[in-house]
Amino acid sequence: MKTHVCLDSDVIIDIISVDEKIIDLALNSSVKDFEDSVQFFAAKSKKVKYIITQNKKDYPSSEIIVISPKEFLN
């Protein structure tokens, strides 16, 4: 499984591989939606700055900034 995330100002989208460790973290997290949890832990493993999503409410508040596509474009 792979997920799309924003890494920095030079790279808009990168694909991060998801391994067993990320799946374990996602399965044992308090994030209710499994796919969101996988995306969050994949992003966290690569120290990304932003996750761009229409579904901001399902991501935990953390060191990763979660923004909507509209916020990103503004």
Side-chain angles (χ1 to χ4, degrees), residues 5-72:
V5 294
C6 183
L7 290 177
D8 58 38
S9 60
D10 297 330
V11 178
I12 294 177
I13 294 178
D14 194 13
I15 298 173
I16 299 173
S17 294
V18 174
D19 59 18
E20 185 177 341
K21 181 180 178 183
I22 291 171
I23 296 298
D24 286 342
L25 289 167
L27 286 170
N28 293 304
S29 80
S30 61
V31 178
K32 293 179 182 181
D33 186 282
F34 176 69
E35 290 176 357
D36 291 342
S37 185
V38 170
Q39 291 173 1
F40 172 78
F41 285 104
K44 190 172 176 180
S45 75
K46 296 298 182 183
K47 299 181 175 138
V48 301
K49 295 177 184 176
Y50 298 94
I51 294 177
I52 302 169
T53 180
Q54 294 278 10
N55 194 23
K56 290 172 52 173
K57 66 178 176 48
D58 285 345
Y59 288 88
S61 59
S62 69
E63 66 273 14
I64 300 174
I65 300 167
V66 180
I67 62 174
S68 70
K70 185 176 182 176
E71 291 170 315
F72 178 73

